[in-house]
Amino acid sequence: MIIGISLAVILLFSQKEGTNHQESSLTKTIEETTNTTKESKIILENNQDKVIEEMIASMSVEEKVGQLFLARVPMEDQLENIQNYHLGGYLLFGRDMETETPVSLKEKIASYQSVSKLPLFIASDEEGGTVSRLSGGIDLIPEAFKSPQEIYQQAGWEGIRSEIQKKAEVLHSYGIQGGLFPDADVATDPQAFIYDRTLGLDAQQTSEYVRISVEELKKGKLVSTLKHFPGYGNNRDSHIEIVYDDRTLEELRTNDFLPFKAGIAAGADSVLVSHNIITSIDATMPASISQPIHDILRNELGFQGVIMTDDMDMAGLANFISQEEAGLAALKAGNDLILSSSFQEQIPFVLQGIEQGTYTMKELDQSIYRVLKMKMEIGLIKG
């Protein structure tokens, strides 16, 4: 009997040793795979950095500055402006869509790319609902893009995912790489200007919407843009007037910053800054040209991607500073990409600022690096 018990103990011990060995082997395999993946990612990133650095080294100052402008498509000389100003991209508005067919819109966008030395970032506001340029065209999409509120109410988070997948397919079919969304603003007052463009729910729900949106946009190889930092809230419309936001920094940190943090953690490509004057952070400048606002985004929220301005023509900025000066002011504040209708005046002013030393080559190279890296992340530039 003792011998039987001993054999049973030996057998049990052997089985346990075998199980431990299998578990150890599995753990080792997982660790090796993880390490290999990390090493591959580091090698890829190093290769991408090398390609970008070589590109930057080969570019003239004029070419670098031009890349920092996402220009509203001018009424005339569209191709010539791309070449003469070395533009980083074109932003399509309603007027660029309204007379186009699916075939002609594709051809027009392709013509823009054909004359550009570096691939253009082509963007169009496609939040859905009241803000969708393609929806305003004739037969450019099967049905108008719905607002995030409407989609969420009808189909929840899966509906949000499905809509973004549909948008990605449509935008890519035209050669558009960015829809300038998701809207990360927390607005709960139905009377607020921004409310209809938001999820219309609290900061936690809005954070989930932003996280899902960034994840889906990344899968779809489209640029994600969180807007309008540091959070529009229930404020008035800066399209038509200078807007003062008197909320405390603590209110912003515990509420409005949360969706931006969620988007940044999910890997957002860009953040768009509003023109509102946030008195608790900088009472003297609209956010888009305020260095303290950009310092918070970089240093407190840890965002390392592309920071862009809202449309520079909006009254919230245009009534505050001349269009000629605005581009340089925005770059000095910390933006990397200027949404501009006045690039013909702004670019020479930036070049003058570089000559005079008010905007340094180091700052220029940091911004051009971020813009080119964003283009590489979505496949516009090959790494």
Side-chain angles (χ1 to χ4, degrees), residues 186-212:
V186 180
T188 53
D189 180 1
Q191 301 304 313
F193 156 70
I194 204 72
Y195 178 80
D196 290 338
R197 296 167 58 183
T198 71
L199 192 66
L201 299 175
D202 62 20
Q204 285 69 33
Q205 294 287 80
T206 302
S207 296
E208 182 67 2
Y209 162 64
V210 168
R211 181 188 68 80
I212 289 171

Side-chain angles (χ1 to χ4, degrees), residues 61-71 81-82 84-88 323-325 327-328 331 338 340 342-354:
V61 175
E62 290 79 9
E63 287 172 334
K64 291 178 182 180
V65 171
Q67 283 295 301
L68 307 187
F69 282 79
L70 177 58
N81 275 288
I82 292 170
N84 293 339
Y85 293 97
H86 315 287
L87 297 173
Q323 283 295 292
E324 182 185 43
E325 299 171 285
L328 178 60
L331 292 174
I338 311 299
S340 172
S342 306
F343 60 90
Q344 295 98 333
E345 292 79 39
Q346 291 170 347
I347 288 176
F349 202 82
V350 172
L351 291 169
Q352 181 181 315
I354 293 171

Side-chain angles (χ1 to χ4, degrees), residues 25 50 52 65 82 85 89 93 109 216 252 305 311 322 328 372:
S25 298
K50 185 178 178 182
I52 294 171
V65 171
I82 292 170
Y85 293 97
F93 278 75
I109 292 173
E216 290 303 321
L252 294 169
D311 188 340
S322 74
L328 178 60
L372 294 180

